[in-house]
Amino acid sequence: MLILIIITFLIDYLLSYFIPITFNNLNYFYPMLLIVLIVYLYNKIPRKKYLKTILILGIIYDLLYSYIFLFNTLVFLLFTNIIKKIDKYLRINLLINIIIIILFIFIYDLILFCLIYLTKYNTITFNNLLYKFSHSIILNISYYFLLNIIVNKKIIKKYLNK
């Protein structure tokens, strides 16, 4: 799984670096791949290891991408609690995971929107939130499908489980 995590970080970085993105001019391929990975890994590794993995991923993500230390760590831990509650009542499957990814992207964008709005860091509207959300879905859902296809191949699965 370590290779999968590293690849996700690299793709997330490269896409955000090479695809021109400004606040009001988002490409339809806005990467939020680590959120997809959080959902993907939920049933792939034991619960205690999953929680530790998400905690470490959040800290690394904060160090690399965030100006607010521990922000992403706390949001990712919130996501782990939400996915645990959902798993308690619904059987996690492909469709549920896609819905969870969409929900998590919206929650993440909503939290950022509220922070920006409350601090008056930038002038934003609810339309900005919806615009960013709508421009985050295509790539991230596609990445989830790609993860499922690649990891389910027996040869690749053997190397990822080392």
Side-chain angles (χ1 to χ4, degrees):
M1 288 300 160
L2 182 61
I3 294 171
L4 190 60
I5 292 168
I6 292 169
I7 290 171
T8 300
F9 266 109
L10 285 173
I11 294 172
D12 218 352
Y13 171 76
L14 291 173
L15 284 175
S16 60
Y17 183 76
F18 287 111
I19 296 175
I21 297 170
T22 59
F23 189 76
N24 289 320
N25 184 24
L26 295 175
N27 189 299
Y28 275 104
F29 301 111
Y30 186 81
M32 298 177 79
L33 303 181
L34 201 56
I35 292 174
V36 174
L37 189 65
I38 289 169
V39 174
Y40 180 79
L41 290 177
Y42 181 72
N43 281 330
K44 306 294 187 232
I45 55 179
R47 296 292 180 255
K48 287 185 180 186
K49 188 176 180 183
Y50 174 76
L51 187 59
K52 289 177 188 174
T53 303
I54 300 306
L55 182 68
I56 292 168
L57 287 178
I59 291 170
I60 293 170
Y61 197 81
D62 278 325
L63 292 172
L64 295 176
Y65 299 108
S66 180
Y67 297 112
I68 307 169
F69 186 63
L70 296 181
F71 169 74
N72 288 296
T73 305
L74 295 174
V75 172
F76 293 170
L77 290 175
L78 170 71
F79 289 166
T80 61
N81 286 330
I82 292 172
I83 200 168
K84 250 194 318 193
K85 297 287 184 199
I86 291 172
D87 188 40
K88 186 176 179 180
Y89 297 106
L90 296 172
R91 187 168 157 244
I92 299 290
N93 58 32
L94 183 71
L95 179 62
I96 298 298
N97 278 344
I98 291 169
I99 293 169
I100 291 170
I101 290 168
I102 293 169
L103 176 70
F104 285 178
I105 290 172
F106 185 75
I107 291 170
Y108 189 85
D109 288 343
L110 183 64
I111 292 169
L112 285 177
F113 172 82
C114 290
L115 283 173
I116 292 169
Y117 184 78
L118 292 172
T119 61
K120 300 193 187 314
Y121 178 75
N122 199 343
T123 306
I124 56 173
T125 65
F126 192 70
N127 286 338
N128 296 119
L129 170 67
L130 295 178
Y131 183 80
K132 182 179 179 305
F133 172 70
S134 68
H135 284 67
S136 301
I137 298 301
I138 295 172
L139 174 72
N140 296 296
I141 297 299
S142 300
Y143 186 67
Y144 179 76
F145 281 117
L146 185 66
L147 281 176
N148 277 299
I149 291 168
I150 290 173
V151 174
N152 286 335
K153 299 280 184 188
K154 290 185 181 193
I155 296 170
I156 295 173
K157 197 174 191 179
K158 181 176 111 178
Y159 291 108
L160 289 177
N161 287 328
K162 286 186 176 182

